[in-house]
Each structure stands twice: as structure tokens, then as C-alpha cells.
Amino acid sequence: MTDAIKIDVWSDIACPWCYIGKRNLENGLAAAAADDDAPQVEVEYHSFELSPDTPVDFEGGEADYLATHKGISAAQAEQMLRRVTGVAADAGLTYRFDLLQHTNTVKAHELLHFAKAHGMQLPLAERLMSAYFTEGRHVGQDDELVALAAEVGLDADAARRALEEHEYLDDVRADEEQARAYGINGVPFFVIDGKYGVSGAQPADAFAQIVRQVWAEHADATAGEAVA
């Protein structure tokens, strides 16, 4: 049997390009899944904080944040938001920067590790990004995070305890250390089979092509082992 392709994704739930990259990856995998010899793929998300110094309750909108932290004008910030909103729409996502509540994401990352331990990381990653970018939910607050965890079927009491006791903070830090070891300084970043690095929110077609290529490599390796 051919081994599944492993895709490790470093991302931040508050990164607009990460949600676009997530959706493009999913669409690319769906296209490849229609092949006669469909690639088998396992996806795992890893923590990366774009702005670890951001307060939980940031005062101002997303344009204010960009202007303050990127050293650009308000007009430039608005232009950037319009551009990413358009790219998101092409990926099937409706960004609502007018509702978005910018916040610190470390606890969201802790919750993702909690979800991973219970086999629910992928549903929670989707729920957190949707809540943040399309619904204006405050994903820096424990109550909101616990509610979102419960929405995907996780135990609310256990999720709250994990957040209050920082049960998974070491796992967040380990992910970030691995990112530094790989030289990752921006997200999304995709590591395929531990040997191919793909940076940025690539188009769905590109992801489909990559997994088909790597799946063919897996098949060749399996055939070689059988001959040996």
C-alpha cells in the first residue's frame, strides 16, 4: 500500500492569506481526489503567531492595525484590505473586515492543539477562521473560544480547562520553534512530506499538481520496494 502524503501547514488563524491558502489547498485536494488513482493526503496545522505582541482587546479596526504595525497610511491599509477581500472572494470566502476584531491568537493556537488531541483539529481550524474573518467573533476570549469548540463537537468544560491551565502552550511553542528551524518567517507555509516547502496561498491548481507529483513519487517508491 502506498503511504499517504503528509502536508504540514504553518498558519495563524488571524492571517487572511492563511485562510485563502487553506481553502485553495482543500479545493486542490478535492480536484486531485477525483483522479482514478487519487492521492491519499493527511493534513496537519501548526502554530505560527504573526503578531504575538498584539493585545487581546485591540482598539481599532483592521486598517488601524495595519497602519500602526506596518508603518503605512490609512489609505494604503484600506487598499490592501480591498485587494485581499477580492482574492478571498475568488476562493469562495466572504471577508468582513468591517466586523473583524483583531486580537492575540496564542489561545486560539492552544485550542487547536487541544482539538488535535481529540481528533478535531481540521474542523476547529475552519471554524476559528470563519468566525474571525466572516463573523466578527472575538477569538481571543476564552468564552468565545469555548463556544466555538463546542460548536464543532468538543467538550466545552475540557476546552475551558485546557485554556485556563495552558495545557497546550508548550505544543504551540514547539511548533513555532520548528518553524524557526525550517526558516519559516511568513505564513501560510506548507511542508510536504517533510522535504518540499511551498510558501504562500498558492492557487488550487498548483496544490493539485503538487500532490499528484508527490503521489507519483510515492507510487514509484512503493513499486521499487516491491521489486527489491
Side-chain angles (χ1 to χ4, degrees):
M1 180 178 293
T2 304
D3 292 336
I5 299 168
K6 178 67 184 301
I7 301 181
D8 293 286
V9 186
W10 270 262
S11 72
D12 192 345
I13 64 102
C15 162
W17 293 103
C18 291
Y19 197 11
I20 294 167
K22 178 180 184 297
R23 187 62 84 246
N24 286 349
L25 172 64
E26 291 164 348
N27 289 338
L29 295 181
D35 295 354
D36 290 337
D37 182 20
Q40 301 300 305
V41 182
E42 175 189 348
V43 179
E44 181 177 340
Y45 282 84
H46 299 274
S47 304
F48 191 102
E49 294 174 86
L50 280 173
S51 302
D53 59 341
T54 301
V56 171
D57 296 304
F58 178 81
E59 295 184 4
E62 186 68 1
D64 298 314
Y65 171 80
L66 287 172
T68 301
H69 286 73
K70 302 292 186 182
I72 60 178
S73 69
Q76 288 173 315
E78 291 290 353
Q79 184 178 19
M80 288 176 63
L81 294 179
R82 285 195 297 272
R83 174 172 176 259
V84 74
T85 297
V87 177
D90 290 340
L93 301 169
T94 304
Y95 280 3
R96 291 294 305 273
F97 287 112
D98 56 321
L99 302 177
L100 187 147
Q101 299 187 62
H102 202 85
T103 188
N104 189 287
T105 60
V106 68
K107 283 203 167 185
H109 286 296
E110 292 180 51
L111 189 65
L112 281 168
H113 278 282
F114 167 79
K116 175 186 170 183
H118 293 81
M120 295 290 288
Q121 188 196 48
L122 297 185
L124 184 65
E126 175 65 28
R127 189 68 195 94
L128 288 173
M129 288 183 172
S130 176
Y132 185 75
F133 283 108
T134 74
E135 301 167 35
R137 303 276 288 270
H138 195 318
V139 300
Q141 297 177 343
D142 283 11
D143 287 348
E144 196 76 289
L145 288 170
V146 169
L148 292 167
E151 285 183 24
V152 300
L154 290 162
D155 182 86
D157 292 337
R160 185 178 298 280
R161 183 168 59 252
L163 291 174
E164 291 177 347
E165 298 178 6
H166 298 287
E167 291 179 12
Y168 294 92
L169 182 57
D170 287 347
D171 296 285
V172 174
R173 299 305 179 220
D175 275 356
E176 293 173 336
E177 181 59 34
Q178 182 63 66
R180 285 189 287 272
Y182 278 148
I184 299 171
N185 52 28
V187 288
F189 195 94
F190 306 82
V191 177
I192 302 172
D193 272 355
K195 58 183 179 180
Y196 300 117
V198 177
S199 179
Q202 301 296 321
D205 288 348
F207 284 118
Q209 180 180 350
I210 291 166
V211 295
R212 285 170 175 143
Q213 173 189 328
V214 175
W215 187 243
E217 293 174 6
H218 279 216
D220 289 343
T222 300
E225 292 171 1
V227 171

